[in-house]
Amino acid sequence: MKKFLTFSFILFSIFIFSYTFYRSEIVWSGLNRNFYLKYYLLSIVLLILSISNLYLKKNLKIYLNIIYISVFLSLYVFETYLTLQKNEPKFMEQKKKIYKNKTGLEYDSRTRQEVYNDLKKVNDDVSLSIYSITDPETGFSALSGKSLSKTIMCNENGYYPIIVSDRYGFNNPDYEWNKKTQDILITGDSFVYGACVNRPNDIASVIRKKTKRSVISLGLPANGPLRELASIKEYSTPKVNLIIWFYFEGNDLAELGYETENNTLKNYLTNREFSQNLKNKQEEID
């Protein structure tokens, strides 16, 4: 039994190291290495301790195994406690949709689908914020959401922000497209889109307020550099004086890897004249 425990710890350590390597270097292409560093260290420390356990005296082995098991059980219990605290709304009674947390702030414990269903009873023109979608059969790639629609976003601050999308399905006041000049065009992912916050707390609204200029946002959740290039080519106009690209180091390169497998999106990079004429296909996008 003692040998079994020792070799089990060795195999467990190798498994953690291998799985960490797979997630860090293969799935994320090394882009999130800092995040996985603690798991690398944990697996290496466990491996060293497990191997050294083979050469220790009998009583010391027993004590070390007890310590290993106690530490792991304690960590898992603590992690479970933190998870329950973080996801507390999920364990509330479903009838109680709004509750106050420890700071006294209200938290909407409904799912986005429940919010959608509730609003749909009052107003039929409701949608959920979504990612860019490509039709696998036709290759048609939409780069925006539903137009002129009350759009429900994510809940990270206790509430579900709801914005009215513009004529092309982006997070802008629609009148911005009517202005003689659109001084600034910004593109990026969920940060630029303004996910999980109401106007005027999104980036485009803040720039409008600070600069007193017209700003168009082409941001959309999960956009990578190739989708952002495609959005600029489809929706930028001669009125635009300045384009700002917001690059997110956390996942933009990984998303670029996925995007280069999309033949439609690759055309925006390889063919200067390529366009899907999306401005005239909003009905199909909707």
Side-chain angles (χ1 to χ4, degrees):
M1 178 59 69
K2 294 169 188 173
K3 288 183 178 179
F4 173 77
L5 286 174
T6 300
F7 283 109
S8 295
F9 280 122
I10 292 175
L11 292 174
F12 182 63
S13 305
I14 294 173
F15 171 76
I16 293 179
F17 182 86
S18 302
Y19 185 70
T20 301
F21 179 84
Y22 168 74
R23 294 291 302 177
S24 175
E25 308 305 324
I26 297 177
V27 175
W28 284 99
S29 304
L31 297 174
N32 280 347
R33 199 170 288 135
N34 289 338
F35 173 81
Y36 288 101
L37 180 60
K38 55 182 175 291
Y39 298 104
Y40 275 123
L41 293 175
L42 174 64
S43 60
I44 291 171
V45 169
L46 281 176
L47 186 59
I48 293 172
L49 292 175
S50 301
I51 293 174
S52 64
N53 202 15
L54 293 171
Y55 305 98
L56 298 175
K57 292 181 179 180
K58 182 178 179 180
N59 289 337
L60 189 55
K61 285 183 181 180
I62 295 174
Y63 294 141
L64 280 176
N65 286 330
I66 292 173
I67 292 172
Y68 291 161
I69 294 172
S70 301
V71 168
F72 272 104
L73 286 177
S74 300
L75 288 174
Y76 274 110
V77 169
F78 185 62
E79 183 180 18
T80 302
Y81 168 77
L82 291 178
T83 302
L84 291 176
Q85 288 292 102
K86 182 179 180 180
N87 298 323
E88 186 177 352
K90 296 180 181 179
F91 297 90
M92 301 287 289
E93 292 180 5
Q94 286 300 311
K95 292 181 180 179
K96 190 177 181 182
K97 298 301 183 183
I98 305 292
Y99 81 102
K100 289 189 177 181
N101 61 18
K102 294 178 181 178
T103 62
L105 297 176
E106 290 189 345
Y107 194 104
D108 190 338
S109 63
R110 293 175 297 175
T111 64
R112 260 203 331 161
Q113 186 63 47
E114 288 176 322
V115 175
Y116 174 83
N117 292 338
D118 290 344
L119 290 177
K120 198 76 171 174
K121 297 173 184 175
V122 181
N123 187 335
D124 189 57
D125 193 10
V126 179
S127 62
L128 300 173
S129 60
I130 58 172
Y131 305 145
S132 173
I133 297 173
T134 299
D135 187 324
E137 295 183 0
T138 64
F140 179 73
S141 187
L143 301 173
S144 63
K146 189 178 180 183
S147 63
L148 302 174
S149 173
K150 288 188 176 181
T151 305
I152 306 166
M153 292 201 257
C154 43
N155 183 350
E156 287 185 354
N157 302 297
Y159 63 94
Y160 287 93
I162 299 175
I163 58 101
V164 177
S165 57
D166 64 24
R167 67 190 66 178
Y168 298 122
F170 294 107
N171 184 7
N172 299 290
D174 189 66
Y175 59 76
E176 287 291 330
W177 293 99
N178 296 331
K179 294 186 176 180
K180 292 182 179 179
T181 60
Q182 288 135 10
D183 299 308
I184 302 171
L185 183 147
I186 64 176
T187 186
D189 57 12
S190 54
F191 285 104
V192 173
Y193 180 69
C196 306
V197 297
N198 277 314
R199 294 182 198 151
N201 298 316
D202 60 292
I203 290 176
S205 295
V206 172
I207 296 176
R208 288 186 200 104
K209 182 178 179 181
K210 293 287 186 181
T211 64
K212 309 301 181 186
R213 293 183 176 184
S214 173
V215 180
I216 291 290
S217 168
L218 301 182
L220 204 69
N223 269 6
L226 196 47
R227 281 192 171 89
E228 290 153 2
L229 171 65
S231 298
I232 291 173
K233 294 184 75 172
E234 290 286 352
Y235 293 100
S236 181
T237 69
K239 300 178 182 180
V240 174
N241 295 322
L242 174 67
I243 296 176
I244 303 176
W245 171 38
F246 285 80
Y247 168 72
F248 178 53
E249 188 174 6
N251 57 28
D252 267 8
L253 288 182
E255 286 166 350
L256 179 61
Y258 305 139
E259 290 171 343
T260 52
E261 297 175 0
N262 184 314
N263 291 328
T264 302
L265 295 178
K266 277 199 299 186
N267 285 328
Y268 287 101
L269 185 63
T270 59
N271 183 352
R272 186 179 293 271
E273 304 302 322
F274 178 76
S275 173
Q276 297 183 89
N277 196 22
L278 294 184
K279 280 188 174 182
N280 295 320
K281 296 180 180 178
Q282 190 58 45
E283 185 176 346
E284 185 176 352
I285 294 171
D286 288 347

